[in-house]
Amino acid sequence: VVVFSKTYCPYCVKAKNVLSKYQINDIVIIELENRDDCDDIQNYLSKLTGARTVPRVFINGKCIGGGD
């Protein structure tokens, strides 16, 4: 599981809270707001998923969506 997130985003907090209820051994949370490549990552996420907003949650390489 990989989550692209921003710490201050309420939708990201919601997604991380939901995921924390499950026993997930391999979870990577990438907080974007302090990264120099934040815009580049969000642009790439847009190409992959059709949206550059966060959160973007991937399970087994497949984007399952965002905050909803």
Side-chain angles (χ1 to χ4, degrees):
V1 175
V2 177
V3 180
F4 292 90
S5 173
K6 292 184 180 175
T7 57
Y8 56 83
C9 168
Y11 299 104
C12 295
V13 171
K14 179 181 172 183
K16 291 182 283 189
N17 284 340
V18 168
L19 290 170
S20 73
K21 295 178 183 180
Y22 297 92
Q23 294 289 339
I24 302 172
N25 292 328
D26 295 321
I27 186 167
V28 175
I29 299 174
I30 301 170
E31 302 292 0
L32 295 175
E33 74 266 16
N34 293 321
R35 294 180 57 112
D36 291 336
D37 58 354
C38 176
D39 285 333
D40 293 333
I41 292 172
Q42 286 190 267
N43 289 336
Y44 186 67
L45 289 172
S46 177
K47 289 179 185 177
L48 286 178
T49 68
R52 69 183 309 275
T53 57
V54 291
R56 295 281 103 196
V57 180
F58 291 81
I59 297 177
N60 293 326
K62 180 181 178 187
C63 182
I64 64 161
D68 292 336

